[in-house]
Every structure is written in C-alpha cells, then in structure tokens.
mmCIF file of all heavy atoms in Angstrom:
data_model
loop_
_atom_site.group_PDB
_atom_site.id
_atom_site.type_symbol
_atom_site.label_atom_id
_atom_site.label_comp_id
_atom_site.label_asym_id
_atom_site.label_seq_id
_atom_site.Cartn_x
_atom_site.Cartn_y
_atom_site.Cartn_z
ATOM 1 N N MET A 1 0.849 -1.193 0.000
ATOM 2 C CA MET A 1 0.000 0.000 0.000
ATOM 3 C C MET A 1 0.882 1.241 0.000
ATOM 4 O O MET A 1 1.796 1.365 0.824
ATOM 5 C CB MET A 1 -0.897 -0.005 1.244
ATOM 6 C CG MET A 1 -1.897 1.129 1.286
ATOM 7 S SD MET A 1 -3.489 0.633 0.577
ATOM 8 C CE MET A 1 -4.405 2.173 0.712
ATOM 9 N N VAL A 2 0.612 2.141 -0.926
ATOM 10 C CA VAL A 2 1.317 3.414 -0.991
ATOM 11 C C VAL A 2 0.282 4.515 -0.853
ATOM 12 O O VAL A 2 -0.646 4.621 -1.655
ATOM 13 C CB VAL A 2 2.097 3.557 -2.319
ATOM 14 C CG1 VAL A 2 2.793 4.912 -2.390
ATOM 15 C CG2 VAL A 2 3.117 2.427 -2.468
ATOM 16 N N PHE A 3 0.428 5.325 0.190
ATOM 17 C CA PHE A 3 -0.547 6.358 0.521
ATOM 18 C C PHE A 3 -0.125 7.709 -0.061
ATOM 19 O O PHE A 3 1.025 7.908 -0.442
ATOM 20 C CB PHE A 3 -0.668 6.510 2.045
ATOM 21 C CG PHE A 3 -1.031 5.245 2.775
ATOM 22 C CD1 PHE A 3 -0.054 4.354 3.186
ATOM 23 C CD2 PHE A 3 -2.360 4.947 3.052
ATOM 24 C CE1 PHE A 3 -0.384 3.193 3.875
ATOM 25 C CE2 PHE A 3 -2.703 3.787 3.734
ATOM 26 C CZ PHE A 3 -1.711 2.913 4.147
ATOM 27 N N GLN A 4 -1.050 8.667 -0.030
ATOM 28 C CA GLN A 4 -0.683 9.990 -0.534
ATOM 29 C C GLN A 4 0.247 10.717 0.428
ATOM 30 O O GLN A 4 0.991 11.605 0.028
ATOM 31 C CB GLN A 4 -1.934 10.824 -0.808
ATOM 32 C CG GLN A 4 -2.914 10.960 0.320
ATOM 33 C CD GLN A 4 -4.145 11.754 -0.109
ATOM 34 O OE1 GLN A 4 -4.038 12.935 -0.405
ATOM 35 N NE2 GLN A 4 -5.292 11.123 -0.149
ATOM 36 N N SER A 5 0.247 10.329 1.714
ATOM 37 C CA SER A 5 1.019 11.067 2.716
ATOM 38 C C SER A 5 2.291 10.333 3.161
ATOM 39 O O SER A 5 2.816 10.612 4.237
ATOM 40 C CB SER A 5 0.135 11.352 3.932
ATOM 41 O OG SER A 5 -0.419 10.135 4.422
ATOM 42 N N PHE A 6 2.777 9.404 2.358
ATOM 43 C CA PHE A 6 4.052 8.694 2.548
ATOM 44 C C PHE A 6 4.034 7.731 3.743
ATOM 45 O O PHE A 6 4.420 6.586 3.615
ATOM 46 C CB PHE A 6 5.252 9.645 2.682
ATOM 47 C CG PHE A 6 5.233 10.854 1.815
ATOM 48 C CD1 PHE A 6 5.658 12.090 2.292
ATOM 49 C CD2 PHE A 6 4.790 10.792 0.503
ATOM 50 C CE1 PHE A 6 5.642 13.219 1.485
ATOM 51 C CE2 PHE A 6 4.771 11.909 -0.322
ATOM 52 C CZ PHE A 6 5.191 13.122 0.182
ATOM 53 N N ASN A 7 3.631 8.220 4.942
ATOM 54 C CA ASN A 7 3.534 7.369 6.144
ATOM 55 C C ASN A 7 4.841 6.680 6.507
ATOM 56 O O ASN A 7 4.835 5.544 6.960
ATOM 57 C CB ASN A 7 2.423 6.314 5.976
ATOM 58 C CG ASN A 7 1.027 6.902 6.076
ATOM 59 O OD1 ASN A 7 0.855 8.110 5.973
ATOM 60 N ND2 ASN A 7 0.037 6.073 6.274
ATOM 61 N N LEU A 8 5.948 7.366 6.314
ATOM 62 C CA LEU A 8 7.238 6.816 6.724
ATOM 63 C C LEU A 8 7.464 7.083 8.218
ATOM 64 O O LEU A 8 6.935 8.035 8.774
ATOM 65 C CB LEU A 8 8.375 7.452 5.918
ATOM 66 C CG LEU A 8 8.332 7.228 4.400
ATOM 67 C CD1 LEU A 8 9.427 8.037 3.722
ATOM 68 C CD2 LEU A 8 8.478 5.745 4.060
ATOM 69 N N PHE A 9 8.270 6.230 8.858
ATOM 70 C CA PHE A 9 8.631 6.445 10.267
ATOM 71 C C PHE A 9 9.722 7.514 10.327
ATOM 72 O O PHE A 9 10.849 7.299 9.859
ATOM 73 C CB PHE A 9 9.130 5.147 10.898
ATOM 74 C CG PHE A 9 8.060 4.115 11.068
ATOM 75 C CD1 PHE A 9 8.060 2.963 10.294
ATOM 76 C CD2 PHE A 9 7.039 4.285 11.996
ATOM 77 C CE1 PHE A 9 7.066 2.002 10.439
ATOM 78 C CE2 PHE A 9 6.042 3.331 12.150
ATOM 79 C CZ PHE A 9 6.048 2.189 11.376
ATOM 80 N N ALA A 10 9.385 8.663 10.916
ATOM 81 C CA ALA A 10 10.288 9.812 10.910
ATOM 82 C C ALA A 10 11.582 9.549 11.673
ATOM 83 O O ALA A 10 12.632 10.114 11.342
ATOM 84 C CB ALA A 10 9.574 11.035 11.499
ATOM 85 N N HIS A 11 11.521 8.688 12.702
ATOM 86 C CA HIS A 11 12.690 8.473 13.566
ATOM 87 C C HIS A 11 13.585 7.342 13.067
ATOM 88 O O HIS A 11 14.571 7.006 13.717
ATOM 89 C CB HIS A 11 12.228 8.161 14.992
ATOM 90 C CG HIS A 11 11.415 6.900 15.099
ATOM 91 N ND1 HIS A 11 10.133 6.817 14.587
ATOM 92 C CD2 HIS A 11 11.694 5.676 15.616
ATOM 93 C CE1 HIS A 11 9.665 5.587 14.807
ATOM 94 N NE2 HIS A 11 10.596 4.885 15.426
ATOM 95 N N LYS A 12 13.226 6.749 11.919
ATOM 96 C CA LYS A 12 14.049 5.674 11.355
ATOM 97 C C LYS A 12 14.661 6.125 10.032
ATOM 98 O O LYS A 12 14.060 6.910 9.296
ATOM 99 C CB LYS A 12 13.205 4.415 11.129
ATOM 100 C CG LYS A 12 12.745 3.735 12.422
ATOM 101 C CD LYS A 12 12.053 2.421 12.131
ATOM 102 C CE LYS A 12 11.630 1.746 13.428
ATOM 103 N NZ LYS A 12 12.802 1.305 14.217
ATOM 104 N N SER A 13 15.839 5.598 9.737
ATOM 105 C CA SER A 13 16.484 5.933 8.468
ATOM 106 C C SER A 13 15.653 5.378 7.308
ATOM 107 O O SER A 13 14.772 4.529 7.486
ATOM 108 C CB SER A 13 17.898 5.355 8.413
ATOM 109 O OG SER A 13 17.849 3.939 8.252
ATOM 110 N N VAL A 14 15.992 5.857 6.119
ATOM 111 C CA VAL A 14 15.324 5.372 4.911
ATOM 112 C C VAL A 14 15.467 3.857 4.794
ATOM 113 O O VAL A 14 14.484 3.140 4.549
ATOM 114 C CB VAL A 14 15.917 6.089 3.677
ATOM 115 C CG1 VAL A 14 15.574 5.342 2.384
ATOM 116 C CG2 VAL A 14 15.403 7.526 3.612
ATOM 117 N N LEU A 15 16.680 3.344 4.980
ATOM 118 C CA LEU A 15 16.887 1.906 4.855
ATOM 119 C C LEU A 15 16.121 1.140 5.936
ATOM 120 O O LEU A 15 15.526 0.088 5.650
ATOM 121 C CB LEU A 15 18.377 1.568 4.931
ATOM 122 C CG LEU A 15 18.738 0.094 4.727
ATOM 123 C CD1 LEU A 15 18.258 -0.409 3.363
ATOM 124 C CD2 LEU A 15 20.250 -0.108 4.861
ATOM 125 N N ASP A 16 16.094 1.675 7.152
ATOM 126 C CA ASP A 16 15.348 1.006 8.224
ATOM 127 C C ASP A 16 13.848 0.988 7.935
ATOM 128 O O ASP A 16 13.157 0.018 8.266
ATOM 129 C CB ASP A 16 15.607 1.695 9.571
ATOM 130 C CG ASP A 16 16.973 1.356 10.151
ATOM 131 O OD1 ASP A 16 17.591 0.390 9.675
ATOM 132 O OD2 ASP A 16 17.420 2.076 11.073
ATOM 133 N N ASN A 17 13.338 2.049 7.305
ATOM 134 C CA ASN A 17 11.930 2.062 6.915
ATOM 135 C C ASN A 17 11.615 0.920 5.951
ATOM 136 O O ASN A 17 10.562 0.289 6.039
ATOM 137 C CB ASN A 17 11.575 3.408 6.261
ATOM 138 C CG ASN A 17 11.002 4.420 7.222
ATOM 139 O OD1 ASN A 17 9.810 4.401 7.533
ATOM 140 N ND2 ASN A 17 11.847 5.306 7.717
ATOM 141 N N VAL A 18 12.541 0.661 5.048
ATOM 142 C CA VAL A 18 12.320 -0.356 4.015
ATOM 143 C C VAL A 18 12.481 -1.773 4.570
ATOM 144 O O VAL A 18 11.784 -2.698 4.143
ATOM 145 C CB VAL A 18 13.267 -0.109 2.818
ATOM 146 C CG1 VAL A 18 13.182 -1.233 1.798
ATOM 147 C CG2 VAL A 18 12.925 1.224 2.141
ATOM 148 N N THR A 19 13.389 -1.944 5.541
ATOM 149 C CA THR A 19 13.687 -3.298 6.028
ATOM 150 C C THR A 19 12.829 -3.729 7.213
ATOM 151 O O THR A 19 12.799 -4.923 7.545
ATOM 152 C CB THR A 19 15.164 -3.409 6.453
ATOM 153 O OG1 THR A 19 15.440 -2.436 7.485
ATOM 154 C CG2 THR A 19 16.090 -3.167 5.283
ATOM 155 N N LEU A 20 12.111 -2.795 7.836
ATOM 156 C CA LEU A 20 11.363 -3.118 9.047
ATOM 157 C C LEU A 20 10.353 -4.241 8.817
ATOM 158 O O LEU A 20 10.294 -5.218 9.580
ATOM 159 C CB LEU A 20 10.657 -1.869 9.575
ATOM 160 C CG LEU A 20 9.906 -2.035 10.896
ATOM 161 C CD1 LEU A 20 10.871 -2.332 12.030
ATOM 162 C CD2 LEU A 20 9.085 -0.779 11.214
ATOM 163 N N GLY A 21 9.558 -4.133 7.749
ATOM 164 C CA GLY A 21 8.537 -5.146 7.468
ATOM 165 C C GLY A 21 9.119 -6.524 7.185
ATOM 166 O O GLY A 21 8.707 -7.519 7.798
ATOM 167 N N PRO A 22 10.087 -6.619 6.266
ATOM 168 C CA PRO A 22 10.668 -7.938 5.995
ATOM 169 C C PRO A 22 11.270 -8.606 7.235
ATOM 170 O O PRO A 22 11.178 -9.820 7.391
ATOM 171 C CB PRO A 22 11.743 -7.623 4.951
ATOM 172 C CG PRO A 22 11.237 -6.408 4.248
ATOM 173 C CD PRO A 22 10.537 -5.605 5.301
ATOM 174 N N ILE A 23 11.877 -7.807 8.116
ATOM 175 C CA ILE A 23 12.486 -8.379 9.321
ATOM 176 C C ILE A 23 11.417 -8.801 10.322
ATOM 177 O O ILE A 23 11.426 -9.925 10.843
ATOM 178 C CB ILE A 23 13.473 -7.365 9.957
ATOM 179 C CG1 ILE A 23 14.702 -7.188 9.049
ATOM 180 C CG2 ILE A 23 13.908 -7.841 11.345
ATOM 181 C CD1 ILE A 23 15.618 -6.042 9.453
ATOM 182 N N LYS A 24 10.448 -7.900 10.585
ATOM 183 C CA LYS A 24 9.457 -8.148 11.633
ATOM 184 C C LYS A 24 8.363 -9.124 11.190
ATOM 185 O O LYS A 24 7.909 -9.952 11.977
ATOM 186 C CB LYS A 24 8.801 -6.828 12.065
ATOM 187 C CG LYS A 24 9.747 -5.838 12.722
ATOM 188 C CD LYS A 24 10.057 -6.244 14.142
ATOM 189 C CE LYS A 24 10.809 -5.135 14.870
ATOM 190 N NZ LYS A 24 11.247 -5.556 16.211
ATOM 191 N N VAL A 25 7.931 -9.005 9.938
ATOM 192 C CA VAL A 25 6.789 -9.800 9.468
ATOM 193 C C VAL A 25 7.233 -11.048 8.712
ATOM 194 O O VAL A 25 6.718 -12.147 8.935
ATOM 195 C CB VAL A 25 5.849 -8.943 8.591
ATOM 196 C CG1 VAL A 25 4.665 -9.780 8.096
ATOM 197 C CG2 VAL A 25 5.350 -7.732 9.368
ATOM 198 N N ARG A 26 8.196 -10.881 7.817
ATOM 199 C CA ARG A 26 8.665 -12.004 6.999
ATOM 200 C C ARG A 26 9.743 -12.837 7.702
ATOM 201 O O ARG A 26 10.054 -13.941 7.258
ATOM 202 C CB ARG A 26 9.224 -11.486 5.676
ATOM 203 C CG ARG A 26 8.213 -10.821 4.752
ATOM 204 C CD ARG A 26 7.379 -11.834 4.045
ATOM 205 N NE ARG A 26 6.652 -11.247 2.928
ATOM 206 C CZ ARG A 26 5.489 -11.703 2.495
ATOM 207 N NH1 ARG A 26 4.921 -12.728 3.098
ATOM 208 N NH2 ARG A 26 4.875 -11.142 1.472
ATOM 209 N N GLY A 27 10.329 -12.283 8.784
ATOM 210 C CA GLY A 27 11.346 -13.023 9.509
ATOM 211 C C GLY A 27 12.689 -13.088 8.813
ATOM 212 O O GLY A 27 13.500 -13.977 9.086
ATOM 213 N N GLN A 28 12.951 -12.118 7.914
ATOM 214 C CA GLN A 28 14.235 -12.118 7.230
ATOM 215 C C GLN A 28 15.350 -11.711 8.199
ATOM 216 O O GLN A 28 15.144 -10.916 9.119
ATOM 217 C CB GLN A 28 14.206 -11.124 6.058
ATOM 218 C CG GLN A 28 13.466 -11.628 4.835
ATOM 219 C CD GLN A 28 13.563 -10.645 3.667
ATOM 220 O OE1 GLN A 28 14.327 -9.698 3.703
ATOM 221 N NE2 GLN A 28 12.757 -10.884 2.639
ATOM 222 N N LYS A 29 16.529 -12.236 7.953
ATOM 223 C CA LYS A 29 17.711 -11.803 8.688
ATOM 224 C C LYS A 29 18.097 -10.393 8.221
ATOM 225 O O LYS A 29 17.947 -10.068 7.036
ATOM 226 C CB LYS A 29 18.873 -12.762 8.435
ATOM 227 C CG LYS A 29 18.615 -14.187 8.931
ATOM 228 C CD LYS A 29 18.683 -14.250 10.454
ATOM 229 C CE LYS A 29 18.640 -15.685 10.957
ATOM 230 N NZ LYS A 29 17.295 -16.265 10.930
ATOM 231 N N ARG A 30 18.615 -9.583 9.151
ATOM 232 C CA ARG A 30 18.907 -8.189 8.828
ATOM 233 C C ARG A 30 19.833 -8.032 7.613
ATOM 234 O O ARG A 30 19.538 -7.210 6.722
ATOM 235 C CB ARG A 30 19.476 -7.461 10.043
ATOM 236 C CG ARG A 30 19.735 -5.968 9.783
ATOM 237 C CD ARG A 30 20.102 -5.218 11.038
ATOM 238 N NE ARG A 30 19.017 -5.204 11.999
ATOM 239 C CZ ARG A 30 18.004 -4.333 11.973
ATOM 240 N NH1 ARG A 30 17.949 -3.431 11.002
ATOM 241 N NH2 ARG A 30 17.062 -4.386 12.878
ATOM 242 N N PRO A 31 20.944 -8.766 7.513
ATOM 243 C CA PRO A 31 21.814 -8.569 6.337
ATOM 244 C C PRO A 31 21.091 -8.815 5.016
ATOM 245 O O PRO A 31 21.278 -8.075 4.047
ATOM 246 C CB PRO A 31 22.933 -9.595 6.560
ATOM 247 C CG PRO A 31 22.961 -9.812 8.032
ATOM 248 C CD PRO A 31 21.530 -9.729 8.469
ATOM 249 N N GLU A 32 20.262 -9.854 4.990
ATOM 250 C CA GLU A 32 19.505 -10.165 3.774
ATOM 251 C C GLU A 32 18.507 -9.050 3.465
ATOM 252 O O GLU A 32 18.371 -8.613 2.314
ATOM 253 C CB GLU A 32 18.756 -11.492 3.981
ATOM 254 C CG GLU A 32 17.871 -11.916 2.823
ATOM 255 C CD GLU A 32 16.982 -13.106 3.157
ATOM 256 O OE1 GLU A 32 17.180 -13.726 4.222
ATOM 257 O OE2 GLU A 32 16.087 -13.406 2.347
ATOM 258 N N ALA A 33 17.797 -8.586 4.509
ATOM 259 C CA ALA A 33 16.798 -7.525 4.319
ATOM 260 C C ALA A 33 17.468 -6.232 3.860
ATOM 261 O O ALA A 33 16.928 -5.515 3.005
ATOM 262 C CB ALA A 33 16.027 -7.303 5.615
ATOM 263 N N GLU A 34 18.643 -5.934 4.413
ATOM 264 C CA GLU A 34 19.327 -4.694 4.041
ATOM 265 C C GLU A 34 19.860 -4.755 2.617
ATOM 266 O O GLU A 34 19.810 -3.767 1.882
ATOM 267 C CB GLU A 34 20.448 -4.393 5.031
ATOM 268 C CG GLU A 34 19.913 -3.963 6.400
ATOM 269 C CD GLU A 34 20.990 -3.455 7.335
ATOM 270 O OE1 GLU A 34 22.197 -3.652 7.019
ATOM 271 O OE2 GLU A 34 20.633 -2.863 8.373
ATOM 272 N N GLN A 35 20.344 -5.927 2.217
ATOM 273 C CA GLN A 35 20.815 -6.074 0.837
ATOM 274 C C GLN A 35 19.657 -5.861 -0.145
ATOM 275 O O GLN A 35 19.789 -5.126 -1.128
ATOM 276 C CB GLN A 35 21.438 -7.452 0.632
ATOM 277 C CG GLN A 35 21.970 -7.666 -0.786
ATOM 278 C CD GLN A 35 22.526 -9.067 -0.993
ATOM 279 O OE1 GLN A 35 22.358 -9.959 -0.161
ATOM 280 N NE2 GLN A 35 23.188 -9.279 -2.117
ATOM 281 N N ARG A 36 18.540 -6.499 0.144
ATOM 282 C CA ARG A 36 17.360 -6.347 -0.713
ATOM 283 C C ARG A 36 16.848 -4.908 -0.665
ATOM 284 O O ARG A 36 16.462 -4.340 -1.687
ATOM 285 C CB ARG A 36 16.281 -7.322 -0.236
ATOM 286 C CG ARG A 36 14.901 -7.116 -0.834
ATOM 287 C CD ARG A 36 14.730 -7.808 -2.152
ATOM 288 N NE ARG A 36 13.350 -7.745 -2.570
ATOM 289 C CZ ARG A 36 12.971 -7.498 -3.822
ATOM 290 N NH1 ARG A 36 13.868 -7.324 -4.768
ATOM 291 N NH2 ARG A 36 11.693 -7.459 -4.152
ATOM 292 N N GLY A 37 16.847 -4.306 0.532
ATOM 293 C CA GLY A 37 16.381 -2.931 0.678
ATOM 294 C C GLY A 37 17.201 -1.959 -0.153
ATOM 295 O O GLY A 37 16.654 -1.066 -0.809
ATOM 296 N N LYS A 38 18.521 -2.135 -0.148
ATOM 297 C CA LYS A 38 19.387 -1.255 -0.941
ATOM 298 C C LYS A 38 19.125 -1.433 -2.433
ATOM 299 O O LYS A 38 19.130 -0.457 -3.198
ATOM 300 C CB LYS A 38 20.849 -1.549 -0.613
ATOM 301 C CG LYS A 38 21.271 -1.060 0.774
ATOM 302 C CD LYS A 38 22.678 -1.510 1.122
ATOM 303 C CE LYS A 38 23.069 -1.066 2.523
ATOM 304 N NZ LYS A 38 24.393 -1.590 2.935
ATOM 305 N N GLN A 39 18.876 -2.680 -2.854
ATOM 306 C CA GLN A 39 18.558 -2.928 -4.262
ATOM 307 C C GLN A 39 17.270 -2.203 -4.659
ATOM 308 O O GLN A 39 17.194 -1.602 -5.741
ATOM 309 C CB GLN A 39 18.399 -4.431 -4.504
ATOM 310 C CG GLN A 39 19.702 -5.220 -4.437
ATOM 311 C CD GLN A 39 19.467 -6.722 -4.495
ATOM 312 O OE1 GLN A 39 18.340 -7.201 -4.353
ATOM 313 N NE2 GLN A 39 20.547 -7.482 -4.682
ATOM 314 N N LEU A 40 16.273 -2.250 -3.774
ATOM 315 C CA LEU A 40 14.991 -1.610 -4.080
ATOM 316 C C LEU A 40 15.117 -0.090 -4.079
ATOM 317 O O LEU A 40 14.508 0.592 -4.917
ATOM 318 C CB LEU A 40 13.920 -2.062 -3.081
ATOM 319 C CG LEU A 40 13.447 -3.497 -3.254
ATOM 320 C CD1 LEU A 40 12.599 -3.938 -2.066
ATOM 321 C CD2 LEU A 40 12.644 -3.657 -4.552
ATOM 322 N N LEU A 41 15.888 0.447 -3.158
ATOM 323 C CA LEU A 41 16.105 1.902 -3.137
ATOM 324 C C LEU A 41 16.829 2.341 -4.404
ATOM 325 O O LEU A 41 16.509 3.394 -4.983
ATOM 326 C CB LEU A 41 16.879 2.306 -1.889
ATOM 327 C CG LEU A 41 16.097 2.183 -0.571
ATOM 328 C CD1 LEU A 41 17.021 2.370 0.623
ATOM 329 C CD2 LEU A 41 14.953 3.203 -0.518
ATOM 330 N N ASP A 42 17.793 1.537 -4.865
ATOM 331 C CA ASP A 42 18.440 1.823 -6.148
ATOM 332 C C ASP A 42 17.414 1.771 -7.282
ATOM 333 O O ASP A 42 17.420 2.625 -8.181
ATOM 334 C CB ASP A 42 19.556 0.810 -6.426
ATOM 335 C CG ASP A 42 20.821 1.079 -5.620
ATOM 336 O OD1 ASP A 42 21.016 2.221 -5.159
ATOM 337 O OD2 ASP A 42 21.613 0.125 -5.439
ATOM 338 N N ARG A 43 16.551 0.786 -7.222
ATOM 339 C CA ARG A 43 15.558 0.570 -8.283
ATOM 340 C C ARG A 43 14.626 1.764 -8.431
ATOM 341 O O ARG A 43 14.231 2.115 -9.546
ATOM 342 C CB ARG A 43 14.768 -0.692 -7.952
ATOM 343 C CG ARG A 43 13.734 -1.120 -8.967
ATOM 344 C CD ARG A 43 13.218 -2.491 -8.562
ATOM 345 N NE ARG A 43 11.991 -2.874 -9.220
ATOM 346 C CZ ARG A 43 11.292 -3.956 -8.913
ATOM 347 N NH1 ARG A 43 11.728 -4.760 -7.958
ATOM 348 N NH2 ARG A 43 10.182 -4.266 -9.558
ATOM 349 N N VAL A 44 14.288 2.414 -7.305
ATOM 350 C CA VAL A 44 13.383 3.574 -7.381
ATOM 351 C C VAL A 44 14.156 4.892 -7.394
ATOM 352 O O VAL A 44 13.563 5.967 -7.311
ATOM 353 C CB VAL A 44 12.342 3.570 -6.238
ATOM 354 C CG1 VAL A 44 11.484 2.317 -6.297
ATOM 355 C CG2 VAL A 44 13.009 3.704 -4.868
ATOM 356 N N GLY A 45 15.492 4.809 -7.497
ATOM 357 C CA GLY A 45 16.294 6.004 -7.712
ATOM 358 C C GLY A 45 16.680 6.801 -6.487
ATOM 359 O O GLY A 45 17.049 7.972 -6.603
#
C-alpha cells in the first residue's frame, strides 16, 4: 500500500523504513533484508 502522505517512520532511516517489514513480518535476517532494501532503493532512484 502506498498512501498519498508517505507514512514513513520519521525516527528511522530510509533503509530502516524499508527493512522493518521484511524483518518483523517475513522473519528475514537483517543482512539479507538490508541487501534487498538497498537494491529496491536503487531501483526507485
């Protein structure tokens, strides 16, 4: 879900915003989530 008001966590870094769900919900290990997160951030510029 992408909202009009972004809904990012202000107190977390951009990368932490992206990796929070995969780590907490999907149970990914942090290094794996961060690698994927960086790829996705690159993908969206």
Side-chain angles (χ1 to χ4, degrees):
M1 185 93 182
V2 178
F3 303 87
Q4 53 183 294
S5 55
F6 322 140
N7 287 16
L8 299 174
F9 291 110
H11 62 290
K12 291 186 179 292
S13 72
V14 163
L15 184 59
D16 284 345
N17 266 278
V18 173
T19 58
L20 184 65
I23 291 170
K24 295 284 190 186
V25 180
R26 295 282 194 209
Q28 283 184 11
K29 297 287 189 283
R30 183 172 296 276
E32 177 189 350
E34 289 189 348
Q35 181 183 10
R36 169 85 171 138
K38 288 174 182 175
Q39 289 172 347
L40 288 169
L41 290 170
D42 283 339
R43 183 171 164 188
V44 300

